[in-house]
Amino acid sequence: MRYRVSEAATLLGVSDDTVRRWVEAGRLTAVRGASGRQEVEGTDLARLATELADEPVPGRTSARNRMPGIVTRVVRDTVMAQVDVQAGPFRLVSLISREAADELALEPGVRVVAAVKATVVTVERPEPV
């Protein structure tokens, strides 16, 4: 799955220009899509999201209830699945049924929206852009 620069920026919580600078510096790899615009591979975006999560972020504040993000890891067993999501500077982990993870086709690089209510985090796929 590939993402336009603007989509990648939203998922990483940075500006479009920052993503373009990272492409120019080789921190992210971009290719020209069918429309002629730069696109970033979802797996490369997931890798960078994980790296960014390890960097200190000064002045971090609490997140809102619905956070767009990208799946960075999925661990499935026979009944449950652990889904790691990077939403900007926030790493979220959700435990959902394996059936739900399979139905949502959750894999690293897939765009999701993490909805937080109390101590429960649900993961859903946004409508296609």
Side-chain angles (χ1 to χ4, degrees):
M1 176 161 239
R2 290 186 181 157
Y3 297 96
R4 295 187 323 256
V5 167
S6 60
E7 292 173 313
T10 298
L11 293 170
L12 295 174
V14 298
S15 70
D16 294 7
D17 288 337
T18 297
V19 171
R20 287 187 193 97
R21 282 192 297 273
W22 286 341
V23 168
E24 289 173 13
R27 193 166 186 190
L28 270 174
T29 303
V31 296
R32 293 280 173 201
S35 66
R37 294 183 176 174
Q38 286 186 323
E39 295 179 349
V40 178
E41 280 294 336
T43 52
D44 198 29
L45 195 59
R47 176 199 49 78
L48 180 58
T50 303
E51 286 176 16
L52 292 174
D54 293 335
E55 295 178 3
V57 179
R60 229 195 271 203
T61 61
S62 62
R64 296 180 181 240
N65 282 355
R66 293 175 55 82
M67 295 169 281
I70 188 167
V71 174
T72 57
R73 184 172 167 238
V74 179
V75 179
R76 291 174 168 87
D77 70 13
T78 55
V79 177
M80 299 297 291
Q82 175 184 321
V83 181
D84 293 7
V85 175
Q86 194 67 43
F90 304 102
R91 177 178 174 258
L92 305 168
V93 178
S94 179
L95 296 175
I96 62 176
S97 70
R98 180 188 177 123
E99 181 180 12
D102 291 345
E103 285 178 9
L104 292 168
L106 297 179
E107 297 295 338
V110 171
R111 181 173 47 171
V112 295
V113 175
V116 180
K117 181 164 173 86
T119 60
V120 176
V121 176
T122 61
V123 178
E124 54 191 53
R125 301 270 311 252
E127 294 297 319
V129 177

